Amino acid sequence: MNKLKAYWAFHKSTLTLNLITSASFSLVWFPFFYRLFPSMIMTVGTLIGLFYKEITHRNEYYFYYNLGISKYSLMAVNASLNILTGIILLWLFSYVKPA
């Protein structure tokens, strides 16, 4: 259970930057926002969030390593959750028709 909480804490710490980055890149092409936003969450937002975490909080990985979680498994779970979020948003946005 502690590992799940640790994975969730890591994901939450990158999620805000991911959503802000994805929304700002998607708003550049506003007419296509509903199609771009989920794709940006799955790709660009994930990469920028992980890059920011790598640059600013490099020593934080030792905390997770002491819990038995490797850096690459943190990144893989984070990317998987972002892909799942993007797929769910693509499914939800398929029912939203912009005016």
Side-chain angles (χ1 to χ4, degrees):
M1 190 55 121
N2 285 337
K3 285 188 180 184
L4 288 176
K5 288 181 182 179
Y7 281 119
W8 180 246
F10 182 80
H11 180 67
K12 279 194 322 188
S13 68
T14 61
L15 186 62
T16 305
L17 181 63
N18 182 353
L19 293 176
I20 291 170
T21 304
S22 300
S24 62
F25 282 155
S26 298
L27 284 174
V28 172
W29 296 284
F30 184 72
F32 305 108
F33 178 79
Y34 291 110
R35 284 182 270 166
L36 280 177
F37 182 62
S39 301
M40 291 291 177
I41 286 176
M42 292 187 279
T43 56
V44 175
T46 301
L47 292 175
I48 289 177
L50 290 174
F51 180 71
Y52 173 77
K53 193 73 160 177
E54 181 71 28
I55 297 299
T56 59
H57 300 286
R58 181 176 295 245
N59 293 331
E60 190 174 314
Y61 291 115
Y62 291 117
F63 169 74
Y64 296 107
Y65 184 76
N66 287 334
L67 292 175
I69 301 171
S70 71
K71 175 179 168 179
Y72 298 110
S73 67
L74 281 171
M75 291 181 180
V77 168
N78 185 29
S80 299
L81 288 173
N82 286 333
I83 289 171
L84 180 66
T85 303
I87 289 171
I88 290 170
L89 284 175
L90 278 172
W91 178 72
L92 287 174
F93 287 161
S94 68
Y95 293 108
V96 174
K97 302 296 180 200

